[in-house]
Amino acid sequence: NAGVMQNPRHLVRRRGQEARLRCSPMKGHSHVYWYRQLPEEGLKFMVYLQKENIIDESGMPKERFSAEFPKEGPSILRIQQVVRGDSAAYFCASLPGIDNEQFFGPGTRLTVL
Amino acid sequence: QKEVEQNSGPLSVPEGAIASLNCTYSDRVSQSFFWYRQYSGKSPELIMSIYSNGDKEDGRFTAQLNKASQYVSLLIRDSQPSDSATYLCAVGWKEYGNKLVFGAGTILRVKS
């Protein structure tokens, strides 16, 4: 079974550009969570999505960040007008149902120059 | 504010010893508890989950949960240098969609 896939694995952007991070959940998984890990810090929840629905976005910054999980295709985390403070590792996790264990993808390491 | 606390370490143990990692959490209604291992530059890897009071064993790993004391621990028997990593304690709350709240992690170093 293929695990959770994320791409790109590394992304470099200049300040003001847009970053698009993709997460393809494991087959059969319809729940996706995004987490961010700042340098030397722990993982922080950002957003929880099911197909075509945002369930909980309480961890998302109010501006510049958005997420979607369309009926077809991967989940996308979009960061507009990136700033240096956005440099971090972004992980997604998927699971088949709400009561299951979360399995993480390899992450996207975003560097903002 | 739901919080998960871990000693950041580093915890150093000799090869073959038992490593004991501890975690406390702030809310009595927490329902699911996880230990993840994270090597430097890598993603978290789930090693144990526990949902009810008591012990759960899987190979060299034992998770212990005490909901009354709001305490969860991970024991690693016969520690190996390859166990050297950061261990993340995570707690899930069903009423919050089971999003995970992570501790800051404990760095474990196993010396050969």
Side-chain angles (χ1 to χ4, degrees):
Chain A
N1 285 333
V4 180
M5 308 287 284
Q6 289 187 250
N7 66 80
R9 298 287 298 273
H10 299 275
L11 182 62
V12 179
R13 286 287 179 266
R14 296 190 181 280
R15 283 178 295 170
Q17 292 184 318
E18 179 180 287
R20 281 186 176 235
L21 289 62
R22 296 174 185 78
C23 171
S24 297
M26 293 176 70
K27 187 176 180 180
H29 289 194
S30 58
H31 299 246
V32 167
Y33 295 75
W34 284 92
Y35 295 84
R36 177 167 67 173
Q37 188 171 37
L38 294 166
E40 307 303 324
E41 292 190 18
L43 282 154
K44 303 291 186 187
F45 166 79
M46 298 184 74
V47 62
Y48 164 37
L49 308 106
Q50 295 179 23
K51 284 284 188 181
E52 300 185 275
N53 287 304
I54 297 174
I55 307 302
D56 180 356
E57 56 182 349
S58 60
M60 289 269 277
K62 294 289 184 261
E63 297 179 350
R64 304 187 296 108
F65 285 73
S66 62
E68 63 177 3
F69 190 13
K71 185 177 181 180
E72 301 291 337
S75 175
I76 306 286
L77 179 67
R78 181 183 179 202
I79 311 172
Q80 296 178 291
Q81 299 177 318
V82 296
V83 301
R84 288 206 174 122
D86 297 332
S87 295
Y90 292 82
F91 295 100
C92 77
S94 76
L95 59 164
I98 195 171
D99 287 331
N100 300 99
E101 299 161 341
Q102 296 186 23
F103 295 92
F104 283 80
T108 294
R109 281 152 183 83
L110 172 65
T111 301
V112 179
L113 301 178
Chain B
Q1 181 80 8
K2 301 191 184 302
E3 296 181 345
V4 178
E5 299 287 337
Q6 291 182 258
N7 187 322
S8 62
L11 172 66
S12 293
V13 300
E15 185 175 357
I18 295 175
S20 178
L21 304 162
N22 304 313
C23 173
T24 58
Y25 57 95
S26 63
D27 196 307
R28 290 185 179 274
V29 298
S30 306
Q31 294 173 320
S32 53
F33 306 86
F34 306 91
W35 284 98
Y36 286 84
R37 178 175 63 196
Q38 187 175 28
Y39 293 111
S40 180
K42 302 296 185 182
S43 64
E45 174 192 7
L46 180 65
I47 53 174
M48 289 289 285
S49 60
I50 187 166
Y51 302 95
S52 55
N53 279 328
D55 295 359
K56 179 181 178 182
E57 185 174 322
D58 183 1
R60 295 187 297 112
F61 299 98
T62 298
Q64 300 174 318
L65 175 61
N66 184 326
K67 290 188 176 182
S69 300
Q70 297 172 214
Y71 175 88
V72 58
S73 65
L74 180 70
L75 300 177
I76 306 175
R77 289 180 298 282
D78 189 23
S79 296
Q80 301 297 309
S82 59
D83 294 327
S84 298
T86 298
Y87 288 80
L88 304 172
C89 173
V91 180
W93 285 269
K94 189 171 184 177
E95 65 271 25
Y96 295 100
N98 261 340
K99 64 185 179 187
L100 297 180
V101 177
F102 283 84
T106 298
I107 298 170
L108 174 65
R109 293 180 181 155
V110 181
K111 298 183 177 180
S112 58

